[in-house]
Amino acid sequence: MFYEPANAHGLPYNPFKAIVAPRPIGWISTLAPDGTPNLAPYSFYNAIADTPPMVMFSSSGRKDSVDIAETTGEFACNFVGEALMKAMNQTSFAYERSISEFGKAGIEEADCRIIKAPRVAAAPAALECVVTDVMELKDRNGQPVGNWVVIGEVVGVHIDDAMLTDGRFDLNKARPVTRLGYRDFGLTPPIVELLRPGED
């Protein structure tokens, strides 16, 4: 099969998101100027640099997380472990901006050290981020497409001590949840260490 996205695929469901998978879930928390916490998951999310550490998340449409992050200049990204999967899914509901997803999903907040936005207390790890760029994506013809990217520099890292093993963040303990496309999510896969050529 071959298709050009501009001409549709002819399938009952769009295969694109399932092909680009698994994708980590950026569980983005922000604090609105009126003091209302916001929490929402984004599966178009990833690390994009390590020195300095930087992450990005992308929103289909200019959603609350984008607006608040741009207005306040900060956001936190919370690691989604299997124990938090149902709560994460609950926060994907489109609540009014005046309603906190933390409260609706029964999620305990914790303070960040550097930024004002809260983080998920039970998350295996969380990244405090300062916004460096917000942009609307364009297509190959230079036309805006209504998808927004927020880039943040990581200025603080929280790790649950129980998730550390021999100085490493232990993914077998943290048990990451990933997005696979459609309504499918991935749970912790077998982890294999593979040395690069020339490494002992």
Short mmCIF file of all heavy atoms in Angstrom, two decimals, residues 23-29 38-46 56-67 77 80 88 148 179:
data_model
loop_
_atom_site.label_atom_id
_atom_site.label_comp_id
_atom_site.label_asym_id
_atom_site.label_seq_id
_atom_site.Cartn_x
_atom_site.Cartn_y
_atom_site.Cartn_z
N ARG A 23 5.37 6.45 21.22
CA ARG A 23 5.74 7.83 21.52
C ARG A 23 5.60 8.06 23.02
O ARG A 23 4.60 7.66 23.62
CB ARG A 23 4.83 8.81 20.77
CG ARG A 23 4.89 8.66 19.26
CD ARG A 23 4.14 9.78 18.55
NE ARG A 23 2.77 9.94 18.99
CZ ARG A 23 1.74 9.18 18.58
NH1 ARG A 23 1.96 8.19 17.73
NH2 ARG A 23 0.52 9.42 19.00
N PRO A 24 6.60 8.73 23.64
CA PRO A 24 6.44 9.05 25.06
C PRO A 24 5.30 10.03 25.26
O PRO A 24 4.91 10.75 24.32
CB PRO A 24 7.78 9.67 25.44
CG PRO A 24 8.34 10.18 24.15
CD PRO A 24 7.84 9.25 23.08
N ILE A 25 4.74 10.04 26.44
CA ILE A 25 3.63 10.94 26.76
C ILE A 25 4.14 12.07 27.63
O ILE A 25 4.69 11.84 28.71
CB ILE A 25 2.50 10.18 27.48
CG1 ILE A 25 1.96 9.06 26.58
CG2 ILE A 25 1.39 11.15 27.89
CD1 ILE A 25 1.02 8.11 27.29
N GLY A 26 3.98 13.28 27.14
CA GLY A 26 4.32 14.45 27.95
C GLY A 26 3.09 14.87 28.73
O GLY A 26 2.12 15.35 28.16
N TRP A 27 3.11 14.65 30.03
CA TRP A 27 1.97 15.02 30.89
C TRP A 27 2.27 16.41 31.41
O TRP A 27 3.01 16.58 32.38
CB TRP A 27 1.84 14.00 32.00
CG TRP A 27 0.48 13.87 32.59
CD1 TRP A 27 -0.70 14.40 32.13
CD2 TRP A 27 0.14 13.09 33.75
NE1 TRP A 27 -1.74 14.03 32.93
CE2 TRP A 27 -1.26 13.22 33.93
CE3 TRP A 27 0.88 12.32 34.64
CZ2 TRP A 27 -1.92 12.60 34.98
CZ3 TRP A 27 0.22 11.70 35.67
CH2 TRP A 27 -1.17 11.83 35.85
N ILE A 28 1.72 17.40 30.73
CA ILE A 28 2.14 18.79 30.92
C ILE A 28 1.28 19.48 31.97
O ILE A 28 0.05 19.54 31.84
CB ILE A 28 2.04 19.56 29.59
CG1 ILE A 28 2.83 18.84 28.48
CG2 ILE A 28 2.53 20.99 29.77
CD1 ILE A 28 4.31 18.67 28.76
N SER A 29 1.94 20.02 32.99
CA SER A 29 1.23 20.79 34.01
C SER A 29 1.66 22.24 33.93
O SER A 29 2.83 22.56 33.74
CB SER A 29 1.47 20.22 35.42
OG SER A 29 2.84 20.09 35.72
N ASN A 38 -3.45 23.39 35.59
CA ASN A 38 -3.89 22.68 34.39
C ASN A 38 -2.99 21.48 34.18
O ASN A 38 -1.79 21.56 34.43
CB ASN A 38 -3.84 23.64 33.19
CG ASN A 38 -4.33 22.99 31.90
OD1 ASN A 38 -3.59 22.32 31.21
ND2 ASN A 38 -5.60 23.19 31.59
N LEU A 39 -3.57 20.38 33.73
CA LEU A 39 -2.79 19.16 33.51
C LEU A 39 -3.36 18.42 32.32
O LEU A 39 -4.56 18.11 32.29
CB LEU A 39 -2.85 18.28 34.77
CG LEU A 39 -2.08 16.96 34.73
CD1 LEU A 39 -0.58 17.19 34.58
CD2 LEU A 39 -2.37 16.16 36.01
N ALA A 40 -2.53 18.14 31.32
CA ALA A 40 -3.02 17.48 30.11
C ALA A 40 -1.91 16.65 29.47
O ALA A 40 -0.74 17.05 29.48
CB ALA A 40 -3.54 18.52 29.11
N PRO A 41 -2.27 15.49 28.89
CA PRO A 41 -1.27 14.65 28.23
C PRO A 41 -1.12 14.99 26.75
O PRO A 41 -2.10 15.28 26.06
CB PRO A 41 -1.86 13.24 28.40
CG PRO A 41 -3.34 13.45 28.41
CD PRO A 41 -3.58 14.81 28.99
N TYR A 42 0.12 14.91 26.28
CA TYR A 42 0.42 15.15 24.86
C TYR A 42 1.33 14.03 24.37
O TYR A 42 2.40 13.79 24.94
CB TYR A 42 1.14 16.50 24.68
CG TYR A 42 0.22 17.67 24.94
CD1 TYR A 42 0.02 18.15 26.23
CD2 TYR A 42 -0.47 18.27 23.90
CE1 TYR A 42 -0.84 19.21 26.48
CE2 TYR A 42 -1.34 19.33 24.13
CZ TYR A 42 -1.52 19.80 25.42
OH TYR A 42 -2.38 20.84 25.66
N SER A 43 0.90 13.33 23.32
CA SER A 43 1.72 12.23 22.81
C SER A 43 2.68 12.68 21.71
O SER A 43 3.55 11.91 21.31
CB SER A 43 0.84 11.09 22.29
OG SER A 43 0.11 11.48 21.15
N PHE A 44 2.54 13.93 21.23
CA PHE A 44 3.58 14.49 20.40
C PHE A 44 4.51 15.26 21.34
O PHE A 44 4.35 16.45 21.58
CB PHE A 44 3.00 15.40 19.31
CG PHE A 44 2.27 14.64 18.23
CD1 PHE A 44 0.93 14.83 18.02
CD2 PHE A 44 2.95 13.73 17.44
CE1 PHE A 44 0.25 14.12 17.03
CE2 PHE A 44 2.29 13.01 16.45
CZ PHE A 44 0.94 13.21 16.25
N TYR A 45 5.47 14.51 21.88
CA TYR A 45 6.34 15.01 22.94
C TYR A 45 7.66 14.26 22.88
O TYR A 45 7.68 13.06 22.58
CB TYR A 45 5.69 14.79 24.31
CG TYR A 45 6.66 14.78 25.47
CD1 TYR A 45 7.14 15.97 26.00
CD2 TYR A 45 7.11 13.59 26.02
CE1 TYR A 45 8.06 15.97 27.05
CE2 TYR A 45 8.02 13.57 27.07
CZ TYR A 45 8.48 14.76 27.58
OH TYR A 45 9.38 14.76 28.61
N ASN A 46 8.75 14.96 23.17
CA ASN A 46 10.02 14.25 23.26
C ASN A 46 11.12 15.16 23.77
O ASN A 46 10.95 16.38 23.83
CB ASN A 46 10.44 13.67 21.90
CG ASN A 46 11.03 12.28 22.02
OD1 ASN A 46 11.85 12.02 22.91
ND2 ASN A 46 10.63 11.38 21.14
N MET A 56 10.10 19.20 24.03
CA MET A 56 9.06 19.88 23.29
C MET A 56 7.77 19.10 23.40
O MET A 56 7.77 17.88 23.62
CB MET A 56 9.43 20.04 21.82
CG MET A 56 9.68 18.74 21.05
SD MET A 56 8.24 17.72 20.63
CE MET A 56 7.35 18.83 19.58
N PHE A 57 6.65 19.82 23.32
CA PHE A 57 5.37 19.15 23.13
C PHE A 57 4.61 19.91 22.07
O PHE A 57 4.80 21.11 21.88
CB PHE A 57 4.57 19.01 24.43
CG PHE A 57 3.99 20.28 24.99
CD1 PHE A 57 2.69 20.68 24.67
CD2 PHE A 57 4.72 21.08 25.86
CE1 PHE A 57 2.14 21.84 25.20
CE2 PHE A 57 4.18 22.24 26.40
CZ PHE A 57 2.89 22.63 26.07
N SER A 58 3.76 19.18 21.34
CA SER A 58 3.02 19.77 20.24
C SER A 58 1.54 19.53 20.45
O SER A 58 1.11 18.45 20.85
CB SER A 58 3.47 19.15 18.91
OG SER A 58 2.74 19.71 17.83
N SER A 59 0.75 20.57 20.16
CA SER A 59 -0.69 20.53 20.38
C SER A 59 -1.43 20.72 19.06
O SER A 59 -1.12 21.64 18.29
CB SER A 59 -1.09 21.65 21.36
OG SER A 59 -2.49 21.75 21.47
N SER A 60 -2.39 19.84 18.80
CA SER A 60 -3.27 20.01 17.64
C SER A 60 -4.32 21.04 18.02
O SER A 60 -5.28 20.73 18.72
CB SER A 60 -3.92 18.68 17.26
OG SER A 60 -2.95 17.74 16.87
N GLY A 61 -4.13 22.25 17.58
CA GLY A 61 -4.96 23.36 18.02
C GLY A 61 -4.30 24.04 19.20
O GLY A 61 -3.49 23.45 19.92
N ARG A 62 -4.65 25.29 19.39
CA ARG A 62 -4.02 26.07 20.47
C ARG A 62 -4.78 25.82 21.77
O ARG A 62 -5.69 26.56 22.15
CB ARG A 62 -4.00 27.55 20.10
CG ARG A 62 -3.11 28.37 21.01
CD ARG A 62 -3.03 29.82 20.55
NE ARG A 62 -2.33 30.60 21.55
CZ ARG A 62 -1.02 30.79 21.58
NH1 ARG A 62 -0.26 30.25 20.64
NH2 ARG A 62 -0.46 31.52 22.53
N LYS A 63 -4.39 24.76 22.47
CA LYS A 63 -5.09 24.35 23.68
C LYS A 63 -4.55 25.12 24.89
O LYS A 63 -3.60 25.88 24.81
CB LYS A 63 -4.96 22.85 23.87
CG LYS A 63 -5.64 22.06 22.74
CD LYS A 63 -5.46 20.57 22.87
CE LYS A 63 -6.12 19.85 21.71
NZ LYS A 63 -5.82 18.40 21.71
N ASP A 64 -5.21 24.87 26.04
CA ASP A 64 -4.88 25.61 27.26
C ASP A 64 -3.40 25.51 27.63
O ASP A 64 -2.79 26.49 28.05
CB ASP A 64 -5.73 25.13 28.44
CG ASP A 64 -7.20 25.52 28.30
OD1 ASP A 64 -7.50 26.39 27.46
OD2 ASP A 64 -8.03 24.97 29.04
N SER A 65 -2.83 24.32 27.49
CA SER A 65 -1.43 24.15 27.88
C SER A 65 -0.51 25.08 27.11
O SER A 65 0.44 25.65 27.65
CB SER A 65 -0.98 22.69 27.68
OG SER A 65 -1.74 21.82 28.48
N VAL A 66 -0.79 25.24 25.82
CA VAL A 66 0.02 26.13 24.99
C VAL A 66 -0.16 27.58 25.44
O VAL A 66 0.81 28.31 25.64
CB VAL A 66 -0.34 25.98 23.50
CG1 VAL A 66 0.41 27.00 22.66
CG2 VAL A 66 -0.07 24.57 23.02
N ASP A 67 -1.41 27.99 25.58
CA ASP A 67 -1.70 29.37 25.99
C ASP A 67 -1.05 29.71 27.33
O ASP A 67 -0.41 30.75 27.48
CB ASP A 67 -3.21 29.59 26.11
CG ASP A 67 -3.85 29.91 24.77
OD1 ASP A 67 -3.12 30.28 23.83
OD2 ASP A 67 -5.08 29.79 24.66
N CYS A 77 6.77 18.82 33.06
CA CYS A 77 6.43 17.60 32.33
C CYS A 77 6.58 16.42 33.28
O CYS A 77 7.65 16.20 33.85
CB CYS A 77 7.36 17.44 31.13
SG CYS A 77 6.94 15.99 30.16
N VAL A 80 4.75 9.55 33.00
CA VAL A 80 3.56 8.72 33.16
C VAL A 80 3.98 7.27 33.34
O VAL A 80 4.42 6.61 32.40
CB VAL A 80 2.60 8.85 31.96
CG1 VAL A 80 1.36 7.98 32.19
CG2 VAL A 80 2.20 10.30 31.74
N MET A 88 -3.98 9.74 34.03
CA MET A 88 -3.52 10.49 32.86
C MET A 88 -4.61 10.56 31.81
O MET A 88 -4.88 11.63 31.23
CB MET A 88 -2.26 9.82 32.29
CG MET A 88 -1.73 10.43 31.00
SD MET A 88 -2.52 9.78 29.49
CE MET A 88 -2.06 8.05 29.55
N TRP A 148 0.66 23.63 17.23
CA TRP A 148 1.58 24.50 17.96
C TRP A 148 2.62 23.67 18.69
O TRP A 148 2.31 22.65 19.29
CB TRP A 148 0.80 25.36 18.95
CG TRP A 148 -0.11 26.32 18.27
CD1 TRP A 148 -1.36 26.07 17.78
CD2 TRP A 148 0.17 27.68 17.96
NE1 TRP A 148 -1.88 27.21 17.20
CE2 TRP A 148 -0.97 28.21 17.30
CE3 TRP A 148 1.25 28.52 18.20
CZ2 TRP A 148 -1.03 29.52 16.86
CZ3 TRP A 148 1.19 29.83 17.77
CH2 TRP A 148 0.06 30.33 17.11
N ARG A 179 2.30 6.00 23.91
CA ARG A 179 1.15 6.06 23.00
C ARG A 179 1.50 5.32 21.72
O ARG A 179 2.57 5.53 21.15
CB ARG A 179 0.79 7.52 22.70
CG ARG A 179 -0.50 7.68 21.92
CD ARG A 179 -1.71 7.30 22.78
NE ARG A 179 -2.92 7.25 21.98
CZ ARG A 179 -3.71 8.31 21.73
NH1 ARG A 179 -3.39 9.49 22.23
NH2 ARG A 179 -4.80 8.17 21.02
#
